[in-house]
Amino acid sequence: MAVNSFNRVRISRTALKHNYNTIVKAVGPARPVMAMVKADAYGHGMVESSRAFAEAGCRYFGVAELVEGVRLRTAGLAGDIYVTLGFPKNSAGLLLDHRLTPVIYSVEQARALSLAAIRRGQGVVGVHLKIDTGMGRLGILPKDVPGFLSQLAGVDRIEVRGVMSHFPMADVPQASNTMEAMARFDDVCRELRNGSHLIRHIANSGGVINFPATHCDMVRAGIALYGYDPAGIPLPAGISSQLRPALSCVTRILQVKTLPAGSGISYGHTYITPRPMTIGVIPMGYEDGFDRALSNKGEVLVHGNRAPVVGRVCMNMTMIDLSGAEDAKPGDEVVVLGRQQLEEITADDIADRIDSISYEVLCRLGNNNERDYIE
Ligand SMILES: *Cc1c(COP(=O)(O)O)cnc(C)c1O
């Protein structure tokens, strides 16, 4: 019989599909929603999550690296899979073999794809261009687009089928940055179009939620698919209030003990019991994605009550104050992320305490614990 870890991550397939459908409704039937499933679907499991989105009708998937695209295709996923970070030298052929969609930002990448296509006796390769409209990250700068295009014209069998960019602050509805970037993107699209049809896509979850004018021909949703607003605060009126967190994380109490007043807890004795206290030990530490910055700061749920973290978070263990659940015993369920009775801890709650964002909290808990899929 297989032995399971105490720590479990639960993913609701229903929540994933609900979030996909919510986004589809928000952007309208004419525009595909690309499911961004990089980083193992933000901790939700790339293959399983992609299958759930596919069951809900999704036909477009986005990954960061080529290996992820290969893994997805090998798992049997149909549809278009966009590889957004480029590919290692000499691996262009793999992209073609697995019918992945390359996003390129250099002529060298186009040449490598062209060569691979010629070697395979393959026809035209469709590519998407990545433009840096102000993110200050990956992509061709608008001023370099004309030079890029004239070089690309000399590359055999490469056809630009789409153009994409990315917003740095679409999670802030009042920031003027987004529509300024959008205007730069429109300029580049006009330059590129010259009669042919291009798939233009720039909106991330922030664009989907806050800026309908950026939806273009397709949107790329990440965090919203997993149930969170990129800004961390669901706006009551917007679609983010309809999203449902899909991931929860639970563990079990290992030991319960009563310590006298004045007892030091965990490494460095950063917590000293001010009175006799009931302390629980849980098998969840920074190795499991429970951030060490939650030392003396975090909370978990036991018997429907909040139990504060006391002392330093260790590699595999953390101590919690069971004053609110004195009758807790070894084996009782502890919710690290998610709902228990009337209480809930969200990825945003954890992120607020450690100066991070829901994205990182989900990736770390999700990718470092065993996952169970539920409906
Ligand atoms: C991750 C990613 C997205 C999704 O961003 P969210 O804020 O999670 O919606 C969109 N586009 C690109 C290129 C990405 O890398």
Side-chain angles (χ1 to χ4, degrees):
M1 206 186 84
V3 181
N4 288 329
S5 164
F6 289 112
N7 302 332
R8 315 299 299 171
V9 162
R10 275 189 208 129
I11 316 283
S12 163
R13 287 164 32 83
T14 306
L16 293 176
K17 291 187 210 177
H18 164 85
N19 294 334
Y20 175 80
N21 289 327
T22 303
I23 296 164
V24 167
K25 217 177 289 166
V27 302
R31 292 184 189 89
V33 173
M34 183 189 295
M36 295 307 294
V37 293
K38 63 189 188 223
D40 225 350
Y42 296 36
H44 296 63
M46 180 179 69
V47 172
E48 299 282 352
S49 299
S50 298
R51 282 188 185 136
F53 297 136
E55 279 171 33
C58 185
R59 296 266 307 121
Y60 295 83
F61 302 89
V63 295
E65 293 211 43
L66 174 57
V67 287
E68 300 171 281
V70 171
R71 188 150 74 83
L72 215 39
R73 199 60 102 198
T74 308
L77 198 86
D80 292 358
I81 302 173
Y82 287 61
V83 176
T84 63
L85 293 198
F87 45 90
K89 252 191 171 149
N90 306 327
S91 300
L94 269 181
L95 260 143
L96 306 184
D97 293 343
H98 291 90
R99 291 166 291 109
L100 304 172
T101 304
V103 176
I104 67 168
Y105 43 87
S106 77
V107 177
E108 287 68 38
Q109 292 169 319
R111 291 202 185 103
L113 288 165
S114 168
L115 208 63
I118 292 166
R119 284 214 187 103
R120 280 166 174 70
Q122 191 171 322
V124 169
V125 178
V127 301
H128 286 233
L129 301 186
K130 192 158 197 169
I131 309 295
D132 182 356
T133 53
M135 175 74 185
R137 205 171 68 174
L138 200 59
I140 307 162
L141 291 169
K143 71 172 176 59
D144 296 331
V145 167
F148 177 87
L149 289 179
S150 60
Q151 281 189 285
L152 194 66
V155 184
D156 191 24
R157 301 187 196 203
I158 299 297
E159 184 178 292
V160 177
R161 301 242 170 95
V163 54
M164 68 174 280
S165 189
H166 193 56
F167 291 128
M169 44 179 98
D171 55 321
V172 185
Q174 57 280 6
S176 59
N177 176 287
T178 299
M179 291 317 292
E180 288 160 14
M182 187 65 209
R184 287 190 283 274
F185 186 61
D186 280 337
D187 287 345
V188 171
C189 291
R190 263 191 295 277
E191 222 173 306
L192 279 169
R193 185 127 44 188
N194 73 62
S196 61
H197 178 68
L198 278 181
I199 303 172
R200 302 161 304 144
H201 46 114
I202 186 168
N204 49 7
S205 295
V208 168
I209 292 166
N210 302 316
F211 296 94
T214 66
H215 292 176
C216 297
D217 303 312
M218 176 158 71
V219 300
R220 301 187 308 268
I223 198 72
L225 284 174
Y226 307 105
Y228 287 90
D229 186 290
I233 331 127
L235 299 171
I239 71 151
S240 47
S241 62
Q242 297 164 41
L243 301 172
R244 292 190 206 144
L247 183 150
S248 57
C249 179
V250 299
T251 186
R252 302 265 160 200
I253 293 178
L254 292 177
Q255 191 187 17
V256 177
K257 63 177 80 168
T258 305
L259 293 176
S263 305
I265 292 186
S266 194
Y267 291 118
H269 280 186
T270 59
Y271 187 87
I272 308 285
T273 55
R275 53 193 153 77
M277 280 176 77
T278 306
I279 298 294
V281 184
I282 59 172
M284 167 79 54
Y286 54 82
E287 187 250 353
D288 310 294
F290 196 70
D291 200 294
R292 192 166 174 275
L294 291 165
S295 300
N296 291 309
K297 261 194 193 168
E299 285 180 332
V300 296
L301 304 178
V302 181
H303 293 193
N305 291 311
R306 289 176 179 265
V309 169
V310 286
R312 286 206 182 125
V313 172
C314 307
M315 189 179 281
N316 294 100
M317 283 183 273
T318 296
M319 272 54 76
I320 54 175
D321 170 5
L322 288 175
S323 304
E326 294 276 357
D327 56 341
K329 50 187 191 316
D332 286 0
E333 182 190 75
V334 176
V335 170
V336 172
L337 169 56
R339 202 178 274 281
Q340 194 184 51
Q341 298 171 34
L342 299 177
E343 286 287 349
E344 185 178 15
I345 293 176
T346 67
D348 288 321
D349 294 334
I350 298 174
D352 283 347
R353 286 166 201 261
I354 61 173
D355 194 20
S356 183
I357 50 176
S358 61
Y359 299 64
E360 187 184 9
V361 171
L362 292 170
C363 286
R364 290 179 60 194
L365 286 172
N367 288 335
N368 287 292
N369 294 290
E370 289 174 15
R371 301 188 192 101
D372 298 319
Y373 291 87
I374 59 171
E375 284 308 308

